[in-house]
Amino acid sequence: MQWIVMLALPLALVLVLVPLVVQGYIIKEDESFLQLPHYTSQEQLEDLFARLEKAYPDQARVHSLGRSLEGRNILALQISQSTRQRALLTPPVKYIANMHGDETVGRQLLVYMAQYLLGNYERSLEVGQLVNTTDIYLVPTMNPDGYALSQEGNCESLPNYVGRGNAAGVDLNRDFPDRLEQQHLNHLRSAARQPETAALAEWIVSKPFVLSANFHGGAVVVSYPYDNSLAHNDCCEESLTPDDRVFKQLAHTYSDNHPIMRRGNNCNDSFAGGITNGANWYELSGGMQDFNYAFTNCFELTIELSCCKFPAASSLPAEWARNKRPLMQLLKQAHIGIKGLVQDASGYPIADATIVVSGLEDKPIRTSKRGEYWRLLTPGIYSVYAAAFGYQSSAPQELHVTNENAEALRVDFKLSPVETNYDGNFRKQKVERAEPPEQLKEKYDGFLTPTKFEHHNFVAMESFLRNMSMSYPSLTRLYSIGKSVENRDLWVLEISTAPGVHVPGVPEFKYVANMHGNEVVGKEMLLLLTKYLLERYGNDERVTHLVNGTRMHFLYSMNPDGYEKSQEGDRTGGLGRANAHNVDLNRNFPDQYGTDKFNKVTEPEVAAVMNWTLSIPFVLSANLHGGSLVANYPFDDNENDFNDPYSRLRDASISGRKLNPTEDNELFRHLALVYSRAHRTMHLGKPCALFQNELFADGITNGAQWYSVTGGMQDWNYVRAGCMELTIEMGCDKFPMAKELPQYWQDNREPLLQLIEQVHHGVHGFVRSSISTPVAGAAVALDGGNQTIYSGTFGDYFKLTLPGRHNVTVLADGYAPIRFEVEVPAVEPFGVRQDVTVMRDDPQHWASANDFRIIENVVNTRYHTNAEIRSRLAEFENQNGQIVSFGYADNEFSRHFNYLKLTSNIGEPEEHKYKLLVVSSLYDTIAPLGREIMLNLVRHLIEGHKLQDVSVVPLLERSVIYFLPQTEKFADVFSMYNANNTVCDPVLPDELAERILSPEAESSKDLLLQFVRSEHFDLMLTFSAGSSELSYPKGDSILERFAHSIQRTEFNYSPLQCSTSATRQLHRESTERVTSLFYKLYKIPMFTLGLSCCRMPAHQQIASVWRTNIEKIKNFLALVQTGISGLVQNEKGQPLREAFVRLLEHENTIYNVTRNEARFQLMLPKGLYGLEVSAPNYESQVIKTQVQHGILSDLGSIRLHGFTLIRGEITELNGHHQSGTQSTTSITGVVLDEGNHPIRNAKISVIHPAGLTHLRNFTNSLGQYYLRAVPVGAITLKVEAPRHFEVTRDLRLPQAGQPTENVVFHLKFNAHVFGLPRFLFIIVASVLIIVSVVICVLCAQFWFYRRHRGKMPYYNFSLLPQKGKEQFDLDEDAGDDGETELFRSPIKRGMTIQPYFDEEQLEHILHTDDEEDGELVMDMAPQEELDVADDSGDEIVMLHNHNNRRKH
């Protein structure tokens, strides 16, 4: 019957209106509300809606959806045929506006819409039919607080986007649950959701809305879902819903009826047909239109109405005229597709049934409580079925949807239950434990199962953790962060509801135990805590809430090797404390104050923990130790503790040392007190037996005040990783007996839990861009502090803080800084969510605020060629000749290195000015980027001088700045970049830094070093890449404080997380060596600033590099603004040019005065200093002075008094010779060649006064020398070295006991040899060698000829001559002549063999043998003659030899 009534009403209305038209009457629509156009205030809006409800009691009804943050009503006006009871299958539709408070056109259009629909309900057939068939809800303002802050006439948002967000500054269109976030995360965030968002979300879910529109301003376009994507691109990639065709039809319905929007070219934007996919335009997360589609049945559009966000009220009638028709036509789209009822067999409605359309299964539609459904569809043929839990799914029906007459096709479904013949109470089954959990907790010390208290070695611990991980796979993840020295795993168990991933918005917490292998209580407590948390999850509200909202990581044993060596019952010993390398791991971390032998080489366990800590955004941490009972907080050491070994001793006789608090000292004290006060005895502060003087008030202490720990883990966590960490000493005994563990558990269980809960205290939220893209690496600082934390990959941040009002500063690269105030409650939940929307920074706006509006520095940046660099530098000189001087080809140095000199009043004496050197880079591959930054800096200083900036003018008055843009190998590097601009780090061999360190001579290097040596620079700045670190000479406390002041910027950008590579590591090491070289040899502190990860980033990224580093560079230059200066004179006011100044508390820090005025000027950080001013033959004077930041204090003229000489007679006492003591001092220095390479074994001697020749020494392998007992006064030193010209130098030694240091000699190489030039000497020597060789050869031939000339003419050959028998190991077979046979003949010994002899020769031979053998003949038995022929056929005659030896 209801549908009959519904059809009858429009028909009756038609019958009433038609006669009026037939009779000639034309009913004009009522638009009187357009008279006197103005914006309706909140009070006027409430009054208007009340009057409409009263005037149209059946068709209008006002609903209050909730209140804004400041308590203003959020109203919805319902307009329908009957607002008391919605007719069945009447689709609910909603229009919402003013979500951004300063986008107001939609707000006023909905006010007009309400008056138009109600005022013309009986006048217009179209309006009447629409109201009768549609349940319309109008919400003119979702953000009344933001509207109240906005200003009419502002087409763009106010500064800091005041008015866009709500009263808390939150963008409500980024605050809704997001479809891509995990369900439990959306649940967690609901507690921090803004009241406006919560009210709208609850209302949207409570009603079965079919269609919706959200009205905005700032553009003219219709946007449809999705607004974000899995890829999270900034823009330009569509993210389409399954119902993309429907959404495009809805969007075109509005756009095509809008006379301006349909053209698609408005507000400097271009949209085809005036519509766009939200993600394709720009991405945002947490938007309302995606929430509607993903979480409900509602199809919502976002409609941008005007280019101007808050136009003048006079434009409102024109806006109404343009948008009235689109508004009406969009409402009609709620009646397309199909609709119907889903009922059971008895005709009762089935709520929450699912309507599934084939091809659109990813978006099922669910029925209302009354069994209704509406499914928007474009024309076509569809297969549809219904399904519901407990019912059989309906058979698919093929439907032909035409959408004719804007009427949905009605299709009803009846479903049959699945169960028909089952009896029993099976749906009411309930599982109960045999014993209530509370009784189990009491029975087992808080555990639900029996728990054994025992110590676990590595194998037992590993087994325990694997068992826990397998038993609770949905809550845990067991992983190793590395290996110990002895290859044991460093196991970590993660406990969270989403193990393995960082959940955005969920803080990370860690416990680290057993850092000292023999301190075992922490390890056992963590094992027990793990079992406690996992067993009680789901049975304990507190534990469940903690696990659901926190991601916990427990490292049970950081030193498993040491644990294996330790022994149970060792209460105070040190066995097993260190790792397998015998290194204390809590002295091995990098320290902010220095490096020593304990942390010079990083141990594998420490490296693993550092990498782990930096890979996860930990918020809070604790390091569990033993040996005392106290909660210890940073800092653990003072800046001078590396030079004071006594400060590192835990001495029972010392009750306290120097306190060194962090800027978060109060927060650290609070965290320590949380643990201490929750502990049964720690808060009492009772000392351990061995350390009776250790009294800790409230059981807490500052680490440095207790005893110094250099290289400690808790300081590294705070300084480097941004993680707040405490060191908890859990008891006086390091390795107690296992039977004592239950008591330790009772004492520490509650403190361990309470400390984890502290991770939720403070400010947290998300940093997103204006298009809702997460902004990673955004720096978040509190109350102007320098300690910043950084947003994670998903933009989430957590900043622990105490309750109260705090100023929060957020800075991200490429975005405008934002500051806001937030109040952290002092009651549960002790934390506040503050999402931050940062807007893309306009380069011109940034330049105006930070760079004197030098647009060239930030717009269209690029690399300049060498010729362009020279042209720019010459242009600077031509246009600013009074402060700029360009050196190009003026001398040999400027031909290799073009330089720019910048100072006020070029040409005036510079004795009173500091000298600064800025080098583009000492690496040819980084120099192109360094040159652009240097060029920007020169522009900055010149423009600042023109504008008489208060920071630039004093800088140039007090200093001379040299700029050296390296040009030598630019062409090679730039060609590599042009060939492939994706190469991050171009590589070249033999870079400048490597040439400086090389002993080989090289022209450009030698010229640079000569320039540096001759100019006597006070400071030097150069640039590098691969990190954002600042390198400087280590070991000097003044330079370390300079480095801290350089890095201390108003906005601390996130440190660059650059990957490591071999070349980057090589550059880092080379930089340290060059830094040391310049400081030790030339006394020039060199600071090297890392600009970016890449040596040559893309052209357009140069602007970003400049913006992120300009403040650090300005801080470097500002060092000249703080210090002291003065003149040293005698009593008559004459300058003492040999005077010097020494800082009393800083060893080896001596400054000579200038050569003319005897002026000294010292750059010093703020503080109290003692100066000793001295000069030869004058009494020293000690001055105490306070240096204030930003002030160069002039001490005026310091006058020294000369020594008074006492005259008298000297009497020699008889028999005794008093040996007078002569005033002496010492001299140290180094001897170098022209290339600054050390010369070893050089002789240094005193040649004047006479009689001191015994004062001499020789240089070592480093070229260093040391002369003792040198008399004060004028002396002359002489330096001699092989192959070098000798050098002499006159010195005046100041006074006894005052050593003269760093006297450097440079020796020229002596190329002469024996008085001849080297080339001539080589020629002469070569000729002599050749002549000698020829003479030797001739002599040898003559000697061989004489040696082998024989008396017997019958020898045509001879055997090899031998010096002796030893060479061939001759035996007695060898003859006396020293000859032997190399190849033994088978002929018997004693026979003479000749190939052939005639008879005369034979007789002659026999006769000769008889004569020669003479007296040596021995009688022998006669032997037979043998005739033997050889293989050749020659006849061989064998003769008897009458003796065994032959003699020549």
Side-chain angles (χ1 to χ4, degrees), residues 1210-1251:
I1210 300 176
T1211 304
E1212 183 176 346
L1213 300 178
N1214 296 329
H1216 298 279
H1217 297 279
Q1218 296 276 10
S1219 59
T1221 58
Q1222 183 181 13
S1223 299
T1224 62
T1225 183
S1226 61
I1227 303 175
T1228 61
V1230 64
V1231 179
L1232 306 173
D1233 62 13
E1234 292 177 294
N1236 291 312
H1237 307 127
I1239 301 176
R1240 63 182 306 175
N1241 298 324
K1243 178 183 176 182
I1244 300 91
S1245 57
V1246 179
I1247 61 174
H1248 179 78

Side-chain angles (χ1 to χ4, degrees), residues 120 261 315 323 419 471 494 626 670 754 981 1113 1157 1354:
N120 294 283
M261 189 180 294
S315 65
N323 287 278
E419 304 153 351
S471 299
E494 173 193 343
H670 164 76
Q754 285 195 23
N981 56 21
I1113 297 173
E1157 296 180 335
Y1354 54 85

Side-chain angles (χ1 to χ4, degrees), residues 63 77-78 92-95 135-139 203 207 209:
H63 300 270
L77 181 66
Q78 180 187 3
V93 180
K94 59 183 171 70
Y95 282 168
D135 196 20
I136 304 170
Y137 290 83
L138 304 179
V139 183
W203 178 60
K207 292 188 178 296
F209 288 109

